[in-house]
Amino acid sequence: MITIGILKEPSFESRVSMLSVEVAALIKSGNTVWVENGAGARSFCSDAEYAAIGAVVKSRAEILAAADIILSINSEDIPSSLNGKVLIGVYQPLFNSPLMADWSHQGLTVLSLDMLPRITRAQSMDVLSSQANIAGYKAVVLAASIYPHYFPMMMTAAGSVAPAKVMIIGAGVAGLQAIATARRLGAVVEVFDTRPAAKEEVMSLGGRFIEVEGAADVSKAGGYAVEQTDAFQQKQKDMIAAHIKKTDILITTAQIRGKKAPVLVTREMIAAMKPGSLIIDLASATGGNTEVTKDNATIQSGGVTVIGNSNLASTLPADASKLYGKNIANFLSLLVNDKGDMAINLQDEIIKATCVTSAEKAISSSTITLIHHEHIA
Ligand code: NAD
């Protein structure tokens, strides 16, 4: 049987990788679960709640020293001297090569769930989707609370108010949820995306899809977007510039896996927006979709407020942790054999894609094979 350790996240993070309900299920299946003191506090799951369902509350040092599998969402504050341990989280290996190389040289097995393939079997484990869904919702709710006007159209005895005009760039999981939420609040929504498949989804949510012809083919990119040609980007920018003047709230989510986010909104475009308008850039961690975005910061660009935040899911920590933990529980079921021992099958399409590095090591009578992914130099 396996000992699973849940670490407390760094101070900027309010989520925890598993709440007590999923921990209880793991314990019921015969596993031991250790939880770092205070790990769930910011997600409203106390040490006492974990202890009540049979988890053992321990210090970080004890968990790092003796758990077989260590769960953490972020890569911060995890020592590299954890030879033979299995780490599961969202470590952004394509942006964190030095750390991944370090972990690899130290013999850790690292499974990073942001590398999941976009296949049906992986959907229940897809942490990017469960968290992006929250981010898209929260972006609109945040915008509505800051925007100095109504979202819906109002017709009152004192006069009429026009509905807010929202533009969304990137209709992936976050963008689609943002469209749905903005529509629910009564806004008029215009949407840009480079994937032709997005058009139908946008329209079904009541958004207006603005088509820019000539986008690169994404059919071989496994569900992810790809970089566009300079000519296309210019055409797209011209189209955004034409529409942004009338936009009150812009929410940007455009990302390309492993690459800097495309800069689609220039300073001049922002200067053309009305005073009091608002931009929420969810791609800020990878550079942002506007020329002025600063990650984890709110700035003023003329009369426009620009918020860079790629971790909005963390502002709904209880639901975010609940869904993240369920994703992890589903993923863990892939790593265990019939006897309840760890059996990491690197031939499995999902494990192969998520396994950044691993070292040959027997844990609970199973064997982990050495692999080195091409992005670890
Ligand atoms: P993402 O976070 O990688 O990117 C956000 C959106 O930005 C995408 O829709 C992308 O096309 C768009 N984008 C990129 N460059 C752009 C540009 N220059 N201009 C405008 N838009 C641009 O996307 P995501 O949320 O991960 O979703 C991508 C797709 O994968 C969606 O169709 C989603 O439904 C699908 N998906 C499938 C699975 C699965 O089958 N397991 C899981 C998750 C997502």
Side-chain angles (χ1 to χ4, degrees), residues 6-8 34-40 47 57-60 63:
I6 298 173
L7 292 184
K8 185 175 175 180
W34 294 344
V35 182
E36 183 178 344
N37 316 75
D47 289 353
V57 177
K58 287 194 177 261
S59 71
R60 188 177 190 86
I63 293 172

Side-chain angles (χ1 to χ4, degrees), residues 2 41 104 111 124-125 135 141 156 163 224 267-268 278 284 286 309 325 331 350-351 370:
I2 306 165
S104 172
L111 299 159
S124 67
M125 308 163 198
V141 172
T156 76
Y224 292 96
R267 274 174 211 282
E268 290 71 36
L278 186 63
S284 60
T286 51
N309 193 330
F331 183 72
I350 294 175
I351 298 177
L370 179 78

Side-chain angles (χ1 to χ4, degrees), residues 37-376:
N37 316 75
R42 279 170 278 166
S43 298
F44 308 99
C45 189
S46 65
D47 289 353
E49 186 174 333
Y50 283 116
I53 47 94
V56 184
V57 177
K58 287 194 177 261
S59 71
R60 188 177 190 86
E62 285 172 305
I63 293 172
L64 292 173
D68 300 319
I69 295 181
I70 294 171
L71 305 180
S72 77
I73 302 174
N74 295 281
S75 59
E76 279 79 1
D77 306 328
I78 299 179
S80 56
S81 55
L82 298 175
N83 196 346
K85 301 266 181 258
V86 177
L87 293 184
I88 301 177
V90 183
Y91 302 130
Q92 304 197 1
L94 302 176
F95 290 101
N96 276 329
S97 299
L99 177 64
M100 297 301 125
D102 192 23
W103 280 351
S104 172
H105 296 142
Q106 300 291 333
L108 276 75
T109 295
V110 179
L111 299 159
S112 192
L113 292 188
D114 46 331
M115 302 299 287
L116 270 181
R118 262 63 211 282
I119 56 174
T120 306
R121 194 163 68 88
Q123 271 177 342
S124 67
M125 308 163 198
D126 194 333
V127 295
L128 288 189
S129 291
S130 70
Q131 306 303 296
N133 198 38
I134 294 174
Y137 159 80
K138 189 62 191 277
V140 174
V141 172
L142 180 63
S145 72
I146 299 172
Y147 180 56
H149 300 273
Y150 274 122
F151 254 50
M153 181 172 76
M154 286 286 167
M155 297 181 82
T156 76
S160 303
V161 178
K165 293 192 179 61
V166 174
M167 181 193 284
I168 300 198
I169 303 183
V173 179
L176 290 174
Q177 185 54 251
I179 298 167
T181 308
R183 291 287 300 145
R184 266 181 230 130
L185 286 176
V188 174
V189 183
E190 291 190 325
V191 184
F192 284 86
D193 199 299
T194 45
R195 290 176 305 110
K199 180 177 180 177
E200 210 172 302
E201 293 169 320
V202 168
M203 286 168 59
S204 73
L205 290 169
R208 177 167 172 245
F209 189 77
I210 303 170
E211 215 147 358
V212 183
E213 284 177 0
D217 179 20
V218 291
S219 57
K220 296 196 178 68
Y224 292 96
V226 295
E227 277 181 312
Q228 302 294 331
T229 60
D230 289 346
F232 176 86
Q233 280 186 35
Q234 193 48 55
K235 214 155 96 175
Q236 191 187 22
K237 277 186 182 166
D238 293 345
M239 198 75 105
I240 292 172
H243 285 255
I244 207 167
K245 293 176 201 152
K246 292 185 187 151
T247 298
D248 301 308
I249 290 140
L250 169 65
I251 296 174
T252 63
T253 77
Q255 305 206 67
I256 297 160
R257 192 163 80 135
K259 303 245 157 65
K260 196 179 167 305
V263 177
L264 303 169
V265 178
T266 61
R267 274 174 211 282
E268 290 71 36
M269 290 184 205
I270 296 172
M273 292 175 80
K274 284 174 268 173
S277 304
L278 186 63
I279 298 177
I280 300 193
D281 191 341
L282 301 184
S284 60
T286 51
N289 291 139
T290 90
E291 261 177 13
V292 304
T293 303
K294 290 209 179 346
D295 193 24
N296 296 323
T298 299
I299 59 153
Q300 285 299 130
S301 184
V304 180
T305 304
V306 184
I307 300 174
N309 193 330
S310 292
N311 198 20
L312 276 180
S314 183
T315 64
L316 257 66
D319 283 344
S321 302
K322 176 182 169 178
L323 300 173
Y324 184 95
K326 184 70 186 164
N327 291 145
I328 296 291
N330 291 330
F331 183 72
L332 282 173
S333 69
L334 285 184
L335 310 180
V336 205
N337 65 18
D338 297 344
K339 296 189 190 97
D341 292 330
M342 186 141 55
I344 298 184
N345 173 15
L346 291 170
Q347 302 315 311
D348 182 292
E349 191 180 357
I350 294 175
I351 298 177
K352 197 171 166 183
T354 52
C355 186
V356 180
T357 181
S358 74
E360 198 166 284
K361 172 84 185 171
I363 301 172
S364 298
S365 76
S366 69
T367 302
I368 301 169
T369 323
L370 179 78
I371 65 151
H372 282 282
H373 273 213
E374 65 275 10
H375 47 262
I376 303 276

